[in-house]
Amino acid sequence: MSKIVSALNGAKFDGFASIREIGPVGMITLRAKPDVVGLAEAVTAVTGTPLPALRRIEIAGDKAAGWMSPDEYLIVVPYAEVAGALAVLAEKLAGQHHLAVDVSDARAVFRIEGDKAVEVLQKLAPVDHATLEPGELRRTRIAQVAGAFWADDKGYTLVCFRSVAAYVMGLLTHSAQSGSELF
Amino acid sequence: MLILECPYCGVKAEETELTPGYEAHLKRFGPGSSDEDFENYMFARKNPKGVHFERWRHAYGCGKWFLAARCTATLEVFGTYPAQTSEPPAEIVAKIKAKRPDWKGYK
Amino acid sequence: MSSRLAKGGRLIDRTTACEFSFNGKRLKGYKGDTLAAALLANDQMLVGRSFKYHRPRGIVGSGAEEPNALVNMGTGGRFEPNQRTTTTELFDGLTSTSQNHWPSLEFDIGVVNNYAARFLPAGFYYKTFIHPRFAWKHVFEPIVRQSAGLGQVPKERDADRYEQAYAFCDLLIVGGGIAGLQAALTAAKAGKRIWLVEQTAHWGGRAVVDGVEIEGQPAEVWVNATLAALSKMENVTIRNRCMAAGSYDHGYVLADEKVADHTPGDGRPRHRLWRIRAGQIVTATGAIERPLSFAGNDIPGVMLAGAVRDYVINFGVAPGDRTVVVTNNDDAYRTAIALKEAGLEVPVILDARANLTGELPAKARAMGIRVEAGKGIAKVKGGKRVTSVAICAQAGQGAVLEEISCDAVAMSGGWSPVVHLWSHCGGKLNWDTAKAHFAPDPARPPLNHDGSALVVTAGSASGHLLADEVLADATRAVGGEGAPSAKVPHEAPIEAVWVMPQGAPVELRAKMWLDYQNDVKVSDVQLAAREGYTSVEHTKRYTTLGMATDQGKLSNINGLAILADSLSTAIPQVGTTTFRPPYTPVTIGALAGEARGEIFQPLRRTPVYDWHMAQNAYMEPVGLWRRPYCYPRAGETHEQAVHREVLNTRTNVGLLDASTLGKIIVKGPDAGKFLDMLYTNVMSNLGIGKCRYGLMCNEQGFLSDDGVVARIDEDTWLCHTTSGGADRIHAWMEDWLQCEWWDWQVYTANVTEQYAQFAVVGPKARKLLEKLGGMDVSKETLPFMQWADGVLGGFRVRAYRISFSGELSYEIAVPASEGRAFWDALVAAGAEFGLMPYGTEGLHIMRAEKGFIMIGDETDGTVIPQDLNLGWAISKKKADYLGKRGQERPYLASPDRWKLVGLETLDGSVIQDGAYAPAPGFNANGQRNTQGRVTSTYYSPTLKRGIAMGLVKGGLSRIGEVIEMTKLDGSTQQVRICDPVFYDKEGEKQNV
C-alpha cells in the first residue's frame, strides 16, 4: 500500500487549533433518490448506519453516510474497503436507477481539533455555526473553493477536492495562527 | 449581498454560495421553431424594476438549481421553489399579489 | 500655541510615556493619546498641505471626520499613507511624516498653486479637456500627473497578516455611545443575539465628554456599568476598534476591526474584516459637527468646537491659549466652558444668533465669558497659525468691528446625523428645518428580505442631539420601554448659517473653505451653479467637493446648502450626494484577507505536481491548474526544450501529465438520449469499450467544448472534457437535467480528480507498457479508439487508445493516490526507450501539426463546428441537439464565413500570433477590411518550418491561394492557404 499517497501525505500544523490532513479515506458518491427500493438497506449494509436525513451525517466508527443533496449521499468507509462497498451497493441496488462511484482519490480530508477549532472555520466559511444541528453535514464555500464539514466531540472533519488540498491547508494554517483567536 | 433559502436543502445561503442563472421560466425553442420564437428564447430577457423570477444554483451547497421570486428594486424575496416547474407556484403568486397589487403577472 | 495641560485627560495614562516621531522630530506623548492629540501637545498644529493649493493644514477634528491631518505612517513593510492622526492610537516607536509637500512641510514649493488659485478654478480639470488636443497631452496632463495623488505608495510587501471572519446576529448595533449601549442592553435583555461595534477604542461617545448625567451620575459611571453588564451576557458580542464600513443587501455589513494597529508586530493579524450578517441593523452612529463658512476658516488653529473640548477633556491638551468660539447653536458653549474650566482664555464667543435664550449661554456669561450675539467672523488672520480674528455683524457684509488676537478658533455650524449606513442600501432622508440637518426618514427605511425595515436609527443618528432624547430613542429603536433618565440643560434652537457674514462679498467667499482637503470654496460652488451645474451630483464631480478621502463628512451639507442658495431653491430640492461604502477607508489588506501569497488563488495541483517542480518544469496556468509548459534542461531555452520534447515524442516516447482533463460519468436509462442532446453527434450507439470524439455547442450553436467519450457499460458513459471545462460542463449537464429534462433518468458525477491520467505517446509507447507488464496492449486487443481496464506494472489502470498528437498513444488513468507511484514507474521503465516528459507547449505543437483544433484557440464563442470543417461530427439524423436550432440561422450558412484552413509562409518562417489577413478597402470606421486571422501558429520542429491554422473567408475552397498577413512591425508577409493537416495526413502513425 506504500504507493498510495494522500493529497498532502499527512501534513500537519499546530496553532491555536491543530490541523491534520488525514487519509486516504474511502469515499463513494451515491446518487439515488431516497424512495429507491432497498436504498436504506444498501447504505446500512456498507456503513452500518441508517440512511441520513436532510443535511445529516450518520457515523458508525470509521464509516459514515452523509446527505449531500436530495439525490446524493456520501458514503465513507476505510480506503481499502471501497471496492467491496461498491460491489455491495451494486448488488443491493441492481435494477434500480442509481450511480455509485469511487471518489476516494478525488478528495482531501482534514481534521481541525482544539477548543477553538470552530474559529478556524468561522474565518473561512459563510456558515452560522449557532444554527447547525448536531450531526449536520454542511456543504459550503471554504474561502474560494467548495468544501463540506461536520463536527464531532473532538473537532471537525473537513472535505475538499484533492487538487486544492495545498490551498486549503494554507487557508487552515493561516486561520489557525496563534494570536488570531476570534473570541 | 442576497440571502436565498435553498428549497432543497433548507440552507439560508448567502449569495457567494450561489451562482446566478438569470431569468426563470423560459420555454426552450429548438429545431423547427420560428425565428421570432427562437430569438425571444435566446435573447429577449426581461429586466423589470420590480417583481422578477430568477434561476439560482446552490453551487457551493447541494448543487441544485432553484427558482426565486424577488423585487429587483427593494430586494424583497417573495419565495424560492424547486426548478422542476414551468410556472411559479400558486402560493408565491398569491403572496406577490398581496404585496404588489399592481403586479401584472409573471408572463 | 497648543500644549499639554498640567492635569486632566480622561483617556491618557500620564505614567506611561510614548516616544514617537513626526517628520524626524522625536516627540513624546502618553499612552491613550491619539496621534493628533500628541501632536497638539507638542505644539504641532501644522500637519499637512491641501491637495490642490498646498495650503497649510492643521488638525480640525478629533475623529473619523478629519479631512486634514493625514500622515504617512510607519516605515518599510509597515508604511501606509493617508492615516488619520485623529483616529490613530499612539504607541511607543510610532513614526509619521506629513504629506503633499516638497521639499518640506514648512516650505512647500507647491504653494504657488495657492497664488495661482484664480487660474485653477472649479472644474479646472474638466476645462483642460476643452483646449486643443496638444495642450492636454503636452501641458495639462504632465501637470495633473505631477500633482495627482495624496501620500506615497507603499513600496515594500506588507509585513502584516490580515484575515476575515463571518459573524451572524439578530441585531447589529453600530456605535458605542450611550445610544448604542442602551439599545444593546435593551435588546440583549430581550434575548436577542447581539453584536455591538464601536469604531474607536473607547465607549460612551460624546456623553462622557459633554458632562451628561445619567440616572443622577456622570455618564461614564452608567457607561461602565452598562458595558460590564453586556460583557457578562452570552448573547452579546462586543468589539471596539471595529468600524462598520458599509451596509449591504439583506443585512450584510462589513466591519473592519483594527486588531493590532496600536500594537504593531505583536503577532496578531493587523486588521480583521468581519463579514457580519444581521437580522436587523441599529445605527447609533451619532452626529458630526459642521464647520462654519467664514473667510480664513482653513487656517491652522481653526477647529471644530466639539473637537477642541475633546482634546481638553479626553487628552488634557489645549489646542490654543486663547480660543475664540464662533457658533450658531448652544452646543459650542460647552467648549467655551470646558476651556475656561481648564484655565484657558476664551476672549469671546461669537454667536450668529441675535437672541440667546439657552441655559448654556447664560452659564458662559455667568462664568465671565464675553458673549456677542448676532456677530460672526469677518476674517481669520494668520498663515501657518491663527493670529487673530476680525469680528463683524452676521447680518452685514463683513465690515470689521473689532479685531481680537487669539491662537485658536473653535467653530460650530451645528450637527449632522451620521446617516451613511442608513443610506448605503437605500434609506431616505428628510430635511429637518428646525435642526438644520438631514435625518433618516423612518417611513422610508432600507428594506430587508421580508420587506421589513433593515435599518433603524438610534439617538443622534436619528437626529436627537440631547442625551435624554437619545436614550429614549435608543430604547424605542429596539422595541424597549423605560429609558434611563438623563439631565441636560435646555438648549435654544440652532439658526442655520451657511455663509458668515450673510452678505459676504466675493473676496471673502473666495477664502471660505468647504472642502479642506480638496480645496473647494464657497465661491467654487457658486461658480459651478453659474456655469449651469444644478445637480448636486454633477456639482460634486465638477468642483471635487466631498471627493477627498473624508468623502465630504464636513463639507457636503455646507456645500449643498450653498448650491441651494445659489440656485434659489430649497435644500431638500437639491438633495444629498449618494452615500457609498466604506464609511472610512478600509486598507486593501483587510479586503484581501487571507488571499495573498501562496493562497491568493486556489491553484490546482495534479498528483505529479511535486515531481514537475523537482524537475524544474516551467509551469503555465490552465484555468486554476498549473501545468508544465516544458521541462528545460540545464542550458536550454524554453523553445529548445519544447522542440526536444516534440521530436523525442515523435521518435521515441513522451509522457504527458493529462490529469487535468475533465472526466464526467453519465449514467442511467436515459443517459444515451441525454448525450445525444448534449453532443452534436450520436453517442447513444457507441459500442461498449469504444471511444468517440464529440463536440458540444451552446444553444446558439457555437462550439463550447470537445473531448472523447467512452462507453463504459450498458447505461454508463465517461465524457472527457477540456482541462478548463470540467466544472463548467458538469454544471451545464446538471442545468439541463434539473431544469429542462427533469423527468429523464440520468445521474452525473464529476470524477476528474479521482484519476491521475497520463498520455504515453510515441512509436515506443507500446514497448514501454509491455515492459511494465500486465494487460494486453496490442493493436488487436486494444485498437485505436477503444479502452480497457487492466493492470500495468501492478497498478489498477484504465487505458484509452486515444491520440491528440497523431502518434501511437495510450492515455492511462490510475487512482490519483497512486498517480505519483505510477508516474515514477513509467519514468523508470521508460529510460531505456528514451522516454522524456513533455509539456503543454509540445502538446499544442503536435496537435497543430495534425490539424486538431483546440477549444479557445480555434474557437472564441462565435465559431460553429461547420466553420472548423467538423461537419462530419454533426449528426444529420438527429431531430434535435443543443445548438441545432442556432446553427440553422441563415447567416451561419453564409459562404462569407471564415473557415478553418492551414497556413504556411512562403519562406518557412513562423506567422506571428494574432496576425490578420487584410482585404482591399476600408470599412465604415476607416479600418482596413479583413478576410481572416491566424488562430494557432508554431514552429514545427518535426517539419522544421512554421505551420499555422487560421480562419479565412472562403476556407478550404481557396487552398493554394497566397494572401497577405500582417506582422507586428506593420508590414505584411505572403502566406499560402493549405490543408490544416501538416503531418501524417493518412493517420497511419496513430493507428498501429
Side-chain angles (χ1 to χ4, degrees), chain A residues 3 5 31 33 97-98 102-106 122-123 125 127-128 141 144 162-163 174 179 182-183, chain C residues 162-164 166 168 193 239 268 272 600 602 604-605 667 734 745-748 753-754 794 815 817:
Chain A
K3 67 187 181 185
V5 180
R31 295 203 58 179
K33 295 212 165 93
H97 173 45
H98 76 285
D102 182 3
V103 291
S104 317
D105 300 281
Q122 282 173 322
K123 295 182 189 184
V127 172
D128 184 357
R141 179 176 59 77
Q144 300 177 54
R162 182 186 184 105
S163 67
H174 183 276
L182 293 178
F183 298 104
Chain C
Y162 300 85
E163 66 181 25
Q164 300 183 352
Y166 296 86
F168 299 81
R193 192 155 54 135
R239 291 278 150 159
R268 295 185 296 167
R272 175 181 294 129
F600 173 63
R604 301 176 72 183
R605 300 174 177 188
K667 184 186 177 203
E734 283 293 324
Q745 290 199 311
V746 181
Y747 285 128
T748 69
E753 300 193 17
Q754 169 66 15
S817 299

Side-chain angles (χ1 to χ4, degrees), chain C residues 128-143:
Chain C
T128 62
F129 294 129
I130 303 170
H131 289 270
R133 267 189 189 190
F134 75 88
W136 169 249
K137 185 166 181 189
H138 298 290
V139 181
F140 297 115
E141 190 185 357
I143 293 172

